[in-house]
Amino acid sequence: MSSVVATAAAGTRPVRIVYFAWVRERVGLPEETLDIPADLATVADLVRWLKARGEGYEAAFADEAVVRVALDHVHAKPHAALGTAREIAFFPPMTGG
Amino acid sequence: MTPLIRIQREDFSLQDEIDALSAGRADIGAVVSFIGLCRDEAGTLAALELEHYPGMAEAEISRVATEAAERWPLMGLVAIHRYGLIRPGEQIVLVLAASAHRRAAFEAADFMMDYLKTRAPFWKREHRADGTLGGWVEAKAEDDDAARRWS
């Protein structure tokens, strides 16, 4: 319990963020570990925070409705709570098969 | 019944997979297979490059396979998806569904492919015959429509 309190007090927590396909190209990175504000509640909050980081992010998330997200390898919606997700992935609609 | 899921760079053999699925048993009455191939529509494609999300690709296809196994009485289920550079005419994806009777096998294979296309984290990009890098293949609304048939 004390560690949870300490993390909240610090105001940030580290998450691994991974990008794929044209989202990766626009951001300019395949992955990064970022200390995100602990008060970011949802995926949409995180996207807004990322977009403020620079032009690449702005371009990647220009059409937020198109970019998909996965929290710890599970598909999620923009309004989903980030919870304790440690790996957050952003990518275009899938074109496998 | 434990689904077999493989994400691999190498090619696969349909016959080898059917043999492995049915080895030592005589209760399977139907095996339906689907193979997706790399298609070149206009003679302009050198290859498709398939990017994937390691870890999630296996996890997501496993979740789809588990759903299929809950919906149909399956005796075997195989999904193999390749990544990397794949040339026109080469195989990209294999789904095998085995059951006592054909209906369950047909439907489960169809379901697997519809969900695999819309949920498995793979992305295709074109490499053109003239040596230039083409764009990322865009997702089709009809694939989403096809997946919605099952919900």
Side-chain angles (χ1 to χ4, degrees):
Chain A
M1 198 63 200
S2 59
S3 68
V4 173
V5 172
T7 303
T12 64
R13 71 181 183 95
V15 292
R16 184 163 176 256
I17 307 189
V18 294
Y19 309 100
F20 292 96
W22 55 254
V23 176
R24 168 176 54 73
E25 291 179 334
R26 291 179 190 179
V27 170
L29 291 168
E31 64 172 88
E32 58 189 332
T33 297
L34 294 175
D35 290 315
I36 64 169
D39 61 0
L40 294 181
T42 66
V43 169
D45 292 340
L46 174 60
V47 168
R48 249 191 308 279
W49 183 79
L50 285 170
K51 283 173 83 167
R53 285 175 58 82
E55 280 180 20
Y57 297 91
E58 186 71 46
F61 295 102
D63 189 349
E64 287 181 32
V66 170
V67 178
R68 307 294 176 89
V69 63
L71 303 177
D72 290 332
H73 292 178
V74 178
H75 289 297
K77 298 287 186 192
H79 59 260
L82 293 175
T84 55
R86 300 169 63 93
E87 182 169 303
I88 301 172
F90 292 102
F91 43 79
M94 291 140 284
T95 54
Chain B
M1 199 283 297
T2 306
L4 173 76
I5 312 296
R6 292 214 310 266
I7 312 297
Q8 62 188 42
R9 189 179 287 278
E10 311 78 53
D11 198 10
F12 50 79
S13 157
L14 169 63
Q15 193 60 55
D16 288 355
E17 299 305 330
I18 292 178
D19 289 349
L21 185 69
S22 55
R25 56 192 298 179
D27 55 340
I28 294 174
V31 176
V32 166
S33 68
F34 173 87
I35 293 180
L37 303 175
C38 177
R39 185 185 71 242
D40 180 11
E41 286 174 342
T44 57
L45 185 74
L48 282 178
E49 181 184 348
L50 274 111
E51 180 170 330
H52 76 298
Y53 183 179
M56 181 173 171
E58 292 85 345
E60 187 62 26
I61 296 177
S62 292
R63 285 189 281 268
V64 175
T66 300
E67 280 183 46
E70 286 166 358
R71 292 176 74 139
W72 291 279
L74 301 177
M75 294 168 157
L77 189 57
V78 176
I80 301 175
H81 204 304
R82 294 178 64 198
Y83 62 88
L85 219 52
I86 298 178
R87 297 184 190 287
E90 290 185 1
Q91 307 182 116
I92 298 175
V93 61
L94 169 73
V95 164
L96 291 182
S99 188
H101 303 287
R102 73 181 183 281
R103 182 66 57 204
F106 271 123
E107 290 182 3
D110 200 10
F111 170 92
M112 283 292 292
M113 278 311 303
D114 280 347
Y115 274 89
L116 210 142
K117 286 198 84 90
T118 53
R119 280 172 46 179
F122 288 83
W123 302 273
K124 293 190 184 107
R125 141 173 273 180
E126 295 177 345
H127 287 239
R128 297 203 191 99
D130 64 8
T132 60
L133 196 55
W136 294 94
V137 173
E138 285 201 38
K140 298 191 191 84
E142 66 200 55
D143 288 335
D144 288 327
D145 294 343
R148 268 195 289 273
R149 290 186 299 147
W150 304 100
S151 57

